[in-house]
Each structure stands twice: as C-alpha cells, then as structure tokens.
Amino acid sequence: MSFGSPGSGKPPQHGAVLEGVLERITYANAENGYTVARVDTGRGGDLLTVVGSLLGAQVGESLRMTGRWGSHPQYGRQFTVENYTTVLPATVQGIRRYLGSGLIKGIGPKTAERIVDHFGEATLDVIEADPKQLIAVPGLGPKRTARIAAAWEEQKAIKEVMVFLQGVEVSTSIAVRIYKKYGDASISVVKNQPYRLAADVWGIGFLTADRIAQAVGIPQDSPERVMAGLKYALSQASDSGHCYLPEERLIAEAVKLLQVDTGLVIDCLAELAADPEGVVSEPVPDPERPDATVTAVYLPPFHRAELSLAGQLRRLLRGGDEAADRLAAFRDVDWDRALAWLARRTGAELAPEQREAVRLALTERVAVLTGGPGCGKSFTVRSVVELARARRARVVLAAPTGRAAKRLAELTGAEASTVHRLLELKPGGDAAYDRDRPLEADLVVVDEASMLDLLLANKLVKAVPPGAHLLLVGDVDQLPSVGAGEVLRDVLAPGGPVPAVRLTRIFRQAQQSGVVTNAHRINEGLPPVTQGLSDFFLFVEDDTEEAGRLAVDVASRRIPAKFGLDPRRDVQVLTPMHRGPAGAGVLNGLLQQAVTPARPGLPEKRFGGRVFRVGDKVTQIRNNYEKGANGVFNGTVGVVTGLDPEEQRLTVVTDEDEEVGYDFAELDELAHAYAVTIHRSQGSEYPCVVIPVTMSAWMMLQRNLLYTAVTRAKRLVVLVGSRRALGQAVRSVSAGRRCTALDARLAGRLAPRVDARVDADRD
C-alpha cells in the first residue's frame, strides 16, 4: 500500500488547520518519518486520514496540524501535514484517552480512569502544578505518585527538545536519547555544538548532525564541520570492515561528502593528525602492491588495537622459558599412547591432519584450526579439550555469540560462554579481565574465530595469561567479521608466525549430507546440486517480489508442514541485503504477519516502522554495555516474552537465557529477526535456513556470502530465487581485501611504532 500526493480534484488548500486526537498510526517510515495516521476530529463520523511527517506524535495526543486538504485517487479525502503542535485535551474523555495511551510512564488505561474519575477536567492541571495530590487516588502510593510526576516532567522536557528538532527531521527516539544524554542542556548543545551529537549519542551519525548544524547556521566550510566529516568517513569505513583508509582515498571521499575544497580537507586532516584524539597516520604496505606503501589513516582506537593485538600475539608466541609453559607436560608426551587413550575415551580415531591439529594446540602457545563443514573441526576441538583436562589443565571455552557458545558447551561437555561474558565487559567497553588481571586459564579455545573483529580480538588476547595456550578455531572461507578487521585471515596469512592446520578431508558421514557437499561445491566455485537431495532444494522464481513472498510461504507454512519444524524456533530466513522486496526489512514484516499476527486483546507497541508483539523473534542491533549482566551485544537474538504498556517496557529472553528489559524509548535497539542478513547470521546455526537469491541483490551475490549462509544450516537448506542469481553468487569471488595491516605487523614487515599516544602492550 502506498499513499501518494493528492489527486486531481479541487485545488489543495494550503495553510489549513486541523485539530484532532491521534487514534492510530497506520504506517510509519522509520527512516524519513513519513506517517499515515487516523485522527478523531470530535465531530462524529469516521476517522480522518492524515499523512506527512508526524515525528514524535503519540497515539492519544491532541494535535493542532497545519497543512493542506487534498484527495487521493484510491483512499479519498486526506489532510497532508506540514507542521503540528501538541495541545492538551480539554474534555474528560480526551484527558482519559490521553493519559491512558501509555504516553506517561506509570499510567495505563485503568490508572488513567481512576485519576480522571477523581479530578475530572482539572486532572492535567493537578499533575502539572501539584502532583502530590495524586496520592488521594485509590491505588496510588507515594512512590508511584513520584514516578508519575517525574515521568510527566521528563515527557515535557523531551517534547521541548522534539519540537526544536522537528525542523531537521530527527526521530522521537533520537530526541529522547539527546535529552537523556544532556538533560536541560540539550537545546544548548544542539544549537552550539551539533557535531558533538555524532560522537556522544548512538543513532546520530555525521549526516544527521550535519543537517542540524546547517539548520542552526554553522557554515559549510567550517573546520569543525570538515574534521567531523573526516572522522565520519573513517567511521563509515570501519563499518565496512576497514581498520584504516589510504590517505588519498580518505581525502577524495571527504571532498565528495562535504563539497568543499581539497586544500581545506588536507589542512583539517593535518590538524586532526596533530590531535591525540584525532587520527593516526602511518605508512603501511600497500595491500594491492606488497612492494609499495600507502599512508594509512586510522581512528585512534583501531590503530591502538591493531598494534596491541600484534604485540600480544607475538608475546604469547615468544613465551618465556619452558617452565612458564602452562601445558609443558605435552612437550614430552608419548603421542601414540595419548591418542590411543583418547580413541578409547571418545570411541573414534582421529585422522592424520586432526592428530596434527591436536598436537599443535597442546604444544604451541598460539595455534589456528581451520576448515569447512564436515571436516571434523568440532571433534578435533573436543579431543584437544579431553586431553588437556586429563592433565588437569584449566580450559576456558568461548565463542563470539550465545548460540555458538551453547554449541561448544554441548560438544565438549564443559562450560562455554560468549567472549563478552568471559571478559565481563563493563559499561564503556572496558573488560574486567586484561593483561593486569588475566583469565585463570591454561588453555583458551575460541570457536567461530572468523567472527572476531579487531577490537574484540584485542580485548580477548590481552586477557590470555603468560604461558597459556590460545587455540583459534574457525572457517576462514566464511564472511569476515561484522566489525572492522579480518583477524582470522590476517593471523593465517603466509609468512606469519602463527602455526595452523587446515582440515580438508570430508568425513564419510558428512559426505551423505547435501548441505555439507553443496557448501564445499560452492566454496570451490561449482554450482550446488539442487535436485534429487532430501535436504537441499531450489524453488525457482525470477521475479524478486514473488521470490520474497515465496520465501515467506516456504518458511512459515511449507517447511513446518512437510518437516514438522517450528517456523519461529527452527527456521531462519537469511538474506543478502536488508533493503529491497526480498530483503530482511520487507520479509520481516511479512513473516511477522504469518508467524506472530496481531490478536484482539493482546498488547502491541508500534515504534517507528515496526510493531512489537509478544512472541516476536528479535535481535539487538548495537552493543549496549548497560543492559543485562554483562551487556547485550550486536547480533544477540531473543524472543519477546512481555509487553507492559503502562510501564512502557518490553521484555526479551535472549538465546543465552537472560531476561532483558527495554523501555519503549529504547526499541530502536531492536529489530525483528524472522529474517536476518547473512552477515548477522555468522556464528549461529539453525536446523533449517531459507535463502532468497535474487538479481536485485546482485552486488552482494558473492561466493563467501552464499557459502556462509549454507553453512548455517544443520539439516535443511532451501534456496528461493533465480538460477541466474545463484550462478552469479557462485562465480563471484569477494572483491578486494579489507584495509588492515595486522598481517604485516605479525610478519614483521612493519616496524614496531614508538608513539607517545600508544603503548601496544598496555592498550
């Protein structure tokens, strides 16, 4: 359904005024604020349709809207809103509706009814002028009265900020975050230091801050703007996986972004390089031409982390004397005898390359185990853990995601946790365990290591104690980490100091799996076999929109009917992109309708363009160190188990079985997860995956993307889309490496940097 401009009836009336109570929001675009809503004008008859930017308006509020009347050829008479203000309702009915809408935390429909029954038309004056009087209402004690008064004041202050920000199209949730960050100073900061917002407030990038800055009169060629733009370009590069940008590329991107002279950008870059918290410039080997160098420009956290990680890995590898080796007993072990004992204990013999990997993990201070599905990585890890524990070694097991950690624990019979939980990350991102307070471990095993980004890998390796062994396990052919860096690939780079074993033999049992054999075919550049298999299917549909609808039908109806799988728990739709007719955004809406539809009498919460319901599968889309026992991190998946309109709170139980609460103002941290991008699925494993493969995503159709998606499935893969798109994905090898110098630092091709701002060992 789309709502366009008014049709060609009578000419539109500009400057018209309409007053009414916002009854419901039919559609809201979270990106630009465009809203379709229904209002009650109080004159009887049907609700009236209004369209336009209604950022910040809440159901139940009385609005005074200015705009123009028009007629839509399909939907009839409607009012296009150009601006609006909220007005407090004057009637008892209006006040009851307003207070009961959930706008004020602590007041739901029943409480609103009791308050309005007690105070009548004076209700809002009482809350505004003397909220202590609320204690006279049955059921409201002193604590609840104080909470309601505080929520009223906060709502007023946030409204003031929102009214100010309306002109630059800043969303409600961001206005709330600005207020929570700066309090009464919010408007002053927005007016006088708008670029601070990009650094201080999650959800505000440079582009939003720049729009605000232009609205408050900051010149386009302001050095403050140019330096903020340079940092933004580097930040965007890190979001794309790069640890740095070559200087020439950074300058060119900044000129294009800012539309200013190159000379001004160069001057501002030099000023940033002189600032300890600005940027760091350093010559590094050119990734395209190993015999040449480029001037790399880093944001300081990435430069510090890259130096530190290289230094820490080299420190672990160097070790000290043999007595310092916490697994020194394995240097002189009789391996034939040890492996025979292991075979009796596990009931299976190790293949030669698996034996080599076990020896490597237990005799080398740092080692890597890599290989594709069905090649025995899991059994090899279990063997390493069994032998280490037989020698009473303290083994610590971790993985980047909750699901991967659970899988590791089931595999080894030992406790495993996420890396974040293991390190006990605190608000701000600092870890409780680091070089000064290392983990109590003799062997640290990290599964799904391809997911480790530079910043997290640095925190982890710093916490490995001297003399302990570190084993990184992962499939280097999968997509690299969502965050910046290519840590596993850099550690495995030719000429590096870290020993590694790559498992290549597919075991007989795995050879019977179409999922495993097709994953290896894709990785070798061969098309998957899609006929005659009981666990790998292709539904051909060339039209992208139809392919999206078919994927939804397959995931929500056909697979549950044929295989008895639960569409919410067991089936995961994985898409190359978020946008588009077969992207995660659209498919989530369709899958929610199919799996968790609206039900009369059950509460739901609309936030931006999303509606949240109990039973929804959701995912966290930012790191939040303030939530949960040790933070909730980007990619964490869970199910909505509670929704309280009165307390304005939603409850999620994560895949780590932790209950986490979200205020309604925080719901932009959550997205639906019935469909997720393939990048977001890393480290997870599902009984069944459904993968739309369409030409609309042709720029993303790459071999490692499809390979990663297929390897997420334990039992069943269903592809939906065109053979042409599938062929494109299999043929296309990922273009270019990420900009990272970790491999060069590890191989000694980059001299250790002496910098007053950086202590590689201590960072």
Side-chain angles (χ1 to χ4, degrees):
M1 182 182 292
S2 64
F3 291 80
S5 57
S8 57
K10 295 179 181 178
Q13 300 172 30
H14 292 271
V17 176
L18 174 69
E19 292 192 8
V21 176
L22 183 59
E23 287 291 328
R24 69 172 178 267
I25 294 174
T26 307
Y27 168 81
N29 186 311
E31 293 175 11
N32 61 20
Y34 180 80
T35 304
V36 179
R38 304 279 279 169
V39 299
D40 181 356
T41 60
R43 297 170 191 159
D46 293 336
L47 299 179
L48 183 72
T49 298
V50 297
V51 301
S53 180
L54 285 168
L55 282 165
Q58 304 283 333
V59 170
E61 287 186 311
S62 296
L63 308 180
R64 180 178 289 121
M65 297 160 280
T66 57
R68 63 184 188 275
W69 289 99
S71 179
H72 188 278
Q74 185 175 352
Y75 302 107
R77 191 166 183 250
Q78 62 184 29
F79 188 81
T80 300
V81 180
E82 293 168 354
N83 206 346
Y84 82 91
T85 57
T86 56
V87 291
L88 294 177
T91 67
V92 166
Q93 183 182 356
I95 294 169
R96 185 181 290 118
R97 178 82 173 86
Y98 175 69
L99 284 182
S101 68
L103 183 68
I104 307 301
K105 197 170 185 177
I107 303 181
K110 290 180 181 176
T111 306
E113 197 161 327
R114 290 204 305 272
I115 294 172
V116 177
D117 285 348
H118 193 88
F119 294 108
E121 291 182 5
T123 295
L124 299 183
D125 292 333
V126 168
I127 298 175
E128 171 73 29
D130 191 9
K132 289 179 182 175
Q133 287 190 49
L134 291 174
I135 203 167
V137 177
L140 293 188
K143 285 186 180 176
R144 197 153 176 218
T145 297
R147 279 180 58 211
I148 291 171
W152 177 267
E153 286 301 317
E154 182 175 275
Q155 189 64 32
K156 272 172 51 188
I158 290 170
K159 271 291 178 196
E160 192 181 347
V161 175
M162 284 187 341
V163 167
F164 176 75
L165 292 175
Q166 259 181 347
V168 287
E169 297 184 349
V170 173
S171 72
T172 313
S173 59
I174 289 177
V176 170
R177 282 213 168 87
I178 291 173
Y179 177 77
K180 287 195 171 177
K181 178 70 180 176
Y182 304 118
D184 293 340
S186 296
I187 292 177
S188 173
V189 171
V190 169
K191 280 183 176 176
N192 301 313
Q193 299 172 284
Y195 292 107
R196 269 184 67 186
L197 302 176
D200 292 351
V201 182
W202 180 76
I204 297 188
F206 170 79
L207 297 180
T208 301
D210 197 38
R211 199 167 64 233
I212 294 170
Q214 289 178 36
V216 299
I218 290 180
Q220 183 170 335
D221 60 355
S222 157
E224 179 191 8
R225 176 176 184 263
V226 176
M227 286 189 278
L230 282 161
K231 283 188 159 186
Y232 169 72
L234 287 173
S235 176
Q236 287 292 98
S238 72
D239 288 346
S240 299
H242 300 297
C243 298
Y244 69 82
L245 279 183
E247 186 178 68
E248 289 184 7
R249 181 171 156 190
L250 172 61
I251 291 169
E253 288 189 9
V255 168
K256 183 179 176 183
L257 168 72
L258 300 166
Q259 297 293 298
V260 295
D261 291 339
T262 303
L264 177 59
V265 172
I266 292 170
D267 290 345
C268 288
L269 182 57
E271 193 172 334
L272 275 176
D275 178 356
E277 294 305 317
V279 299
V280 179
S281 294
E282 181 184 10
V284 302
D286 188 334
E288 305 297 327
R289 298 173 300 152
D291 55 333
T293 61
V294 295
T295 299
V297 184
Y298 291 81
L299 289 171
F302 295 102
H303 187 254
R304 286 196 289 262
E306 196 173 88
L307 275 176
S308 174
L309 179 55
Q312 298 293 343
L313 285 170
R314 292 170 74 90
R315 172 181 64 83
L316 288 175
L317 284 162
R318 276 198 313 270
D321 55 46
E322 288 193 13
D325 186 347
R326 293 171 182 244
L327 297 180
F330 286 99
R331 290 182 180 275
D332 304 316
V333 79
D334 181 336
W335 282 103
D336 288 338
R337 188 175 167 190
L339 294 171
W341 172 87
L342 183 67
R344 289 194 299 274
R345 185 167 177 82
T346 61
E349 294 273 351
L350 290 169
E353 56 189 11
Q354 289 177 303
R355 288 195 209 105
E356 172 61 21
V358 169
R359 278 198 295 267
L360 205 66
L362 295 171
T363 58
E364 297 286 349
R365 309 290 181 93
V366 183
V368 177
L369 171 62
T370 189
C375 293
K377 284 198 308 295
S378 296
F379 187 67
T380 306
V381 170
R382 180 185 163 193
S383 301
V384 169
V385 172
E386 289 277 6
L387 283 170
R389 290 168 74 188
R391 291 280 183 164
R392 300 191 184 283
R394 290 170 298 181
V395 181
V396 169
L397 304 171
T401 67
R403 289 191 180 206
K406 272 187 179 177
R407 202 166 63 239
L408 186 57
E410 290 164 3
L411 165 75
T412 59
E415 186 180 342
S417 70
T418 63
V419 176
H420 298 93
R421 219 174 257 284
L422 173 68
L423 300 177
E424 293 181 14
L425 293 185
K426 304 171 189 172
D430 292 330
Y433 292 94
D434 55 19
R435 187 160 182 198
D436 294 328
R437 187 198 175 197
L439 296 163
E440 293 184 7
D442 303 316
L443 170 66
V444 178
V445 179
V446 184
D447 199 10
E448 295 286 355
S450 62
M451 290 185 66
L452 287 177
D453 62 45
L454 176 67
L455 299 181
L456 185 58
N458 179 45
K459 291 181 195 300
L460 172 67
V461 174
K462 276 196 295 184
V464 177
H469 289 216
L470 172 64
L471 175 63
L472 300 175
V473 183
D475 186 347
V476 75
D477 293 322
Q478 287 183 19
L479 289 168
S481 57
V482 174
E486 282 186 296
V487 172
L488 187 62
R489 186 160 290 158
D490 283 344
V491 169
L492 284 168
V498 180
V501 169
R502 181 172 189 135
L503 304 180
T504 56
R505 172 187 161 190
I506 306 174
F507 286 89
R508 189 186 313 160
Q509 185 178 355
Q511 288 173 1
Q512 297 167 7
S513 162
V515 175
V516 170
T517 54
N518 273 333
H520 284 275
R521 285 180 65 86
I522 290 165
N523 203 29
E524 292 161 12
L526 300 171
V529 175
T530 57
Q531 292 181 316
L533 297 174
S534 61
D535 61 352
F536 201 103
F537 302 90
L538 169 64
F539 284 76
V540 177
E541 176 52 69
D542 290 334
D543 181 81
T544 298
E545 285 193 35
E546 285 301 320
R549 283 193 281 269
L550 179 56
V552 169
D553 186 51
V554 166
S556 64
R557 187 179 64 84
R558 298 193 196 189
I559 288 172
K562 183 174 177 59
F563 295 96
L565 297 175
D566 183 284
R568 185 187 292 108
R569 185 185 63 244
D570 300 328
V571 183
Q572 183 63 57
V573 177
L574 302 179
T575 69
M577 299 173 65
H578 182 77
R579 296 173 186 266
V586 168
L587 296 190
N588 266 315
L590 296 174
L591 284 161
Q592 185 193 36
Q593 289 174 29
V595 178
T596 317
R599 289 185 172 88
L602 291 182
E604 57 181 43
K605 173 61 182 174
R606 177 177 288 278
F607 189 93
R610 304 184 184 115
V611 176
F612 292 96
R613 301 182 183 123
V614 171
D616 273 340
K617 182 156 71 168
V618 293
T619 181
Q620 176 82 9
I621 58 174
R622 66 168 288 224
N623 289 343
N624 187 333
Y625 298 96
E626 309 283 348
K627 286 202 169 297
N630 294 110
V632 181
F633 299 95
N634 189 357
T636 299
V637 175
V639 174
V640 177
T641 56
L643 200 159
D644 187 334
E646 185 164 314
E647 291 300 317
Q648 297 184 31
R649 196 161 177 80
L650 178 146
T651 305
V652 173
V653 173
T654 72
D655 54 8
E656 295 176 62
D657 298 321
E658 182 177 14
E659 191 174 277
V660 180
Y662 292 81
D663 289 340
F664 283 174
E666 299 174 313
L667 292 183
D668 56 351
E669 295 187 18
L670 289 177
H672 290 105
Y674 300 99
V676 298
T677 61
I678 296 166
H679 278 89
R680 282 199 159 269
S681 74
Q682 289 174 262
S684 294
E685 192 176 70
Y686 315 95
C688 168
V689 299
V690 178
I691 310 166
V693 186
T694 67
M695 287 307 292
S696 67
W698 71 273
M699 286 189 67
M700 296 292 292
L701 292 176
Q702 294 172 352
R703 187 181 301 166
N704 62 350
L705 191 85
L706 182 60
Y707 173 73
T708 299
V710 169
T711 56
R712 298 306 88 208
K714 284 195 285 191
R715 291 168 47 191
L716 179 66
V717 170
V718 181
L719 306 177
V720 181
S722 73
R723 295 187 188 279
R724 184 179 166 213
L726 181 58
Q728 164 87 1
V730 171
R731 287 191 303 272
S732 301
V733 179
S734 177
R737 290 285 307 275
R738 292 178 168 187
C739 293
T740 159
L742 178 62
D743 56 344
R745 295 186 199 280
L746 284 171
R749 291 186 286 120
L750 197 54
R753 180 183 170 95
V754 179
D755 191 319
R757 289 175 288 178
V758 178
D759 178 349
D761 279 343
R762 308 304 291 178
D763 182 67

